[in-house]
Amino acid sequence: MGNAKRKSKGKKKRNKLGVKNSLVNNINARKKKGISRSKKKKTVSRKSYKKMQQNWQD
């Protein structure tokens, strides 16, 4: 009795950068467009970055 539920036909959701949503895709898209953040506007502090690095060495 009609199409209550419609299935998408291969259309993937994309964000405003035009890529599929994932951290790596977003980072690479920003690099490619030349709109990556400067060190001054970064969001990760030195202290928390060092903690992350310690976990990488395990």
Side-chain angles (χ1 to χ4, degrees):
M1 299 194 109
N3 294 336
K5 291 185 180 180
R6 295 181 187 214
K7 293 182 181 179
S8 63
K9 295 183 180 182
K11 271 197 169 183
K12 294 180 182 177
K13 289 188 177 184
R14 300 198 179 272
N15 61 13
K16 64 183 177 181
L17 292 171
V19 295
K20 184 181 171 192
N21 278 329
S22 81
L23 180 64
V24 175
N25 286 342
N26 289 337
I27 290 169
N28 291 334
R30 287 181 70 90
K31 277 186 200 174
K32 194 178 260 188
K33 289 190 175 197
I35 55 173
S36 54
R37 291 179 182 88
S38 67
K39 284 187 178 181
K40 186 177 181 181
K41 294 182 181 180
K42 67 183 182 177
T43 57
V44 180
S45 68
R46 284 185 179 182
K47 186 177 178 182
S48 60
Y49 191 80
K50 284 192 180 215
K51 277 187 178 181
M52 281 193 294
Q53 280 185 322
Q54 289 173 354
N55 290 333
W56 294 342
Q57 294 171 359
D58 292 340

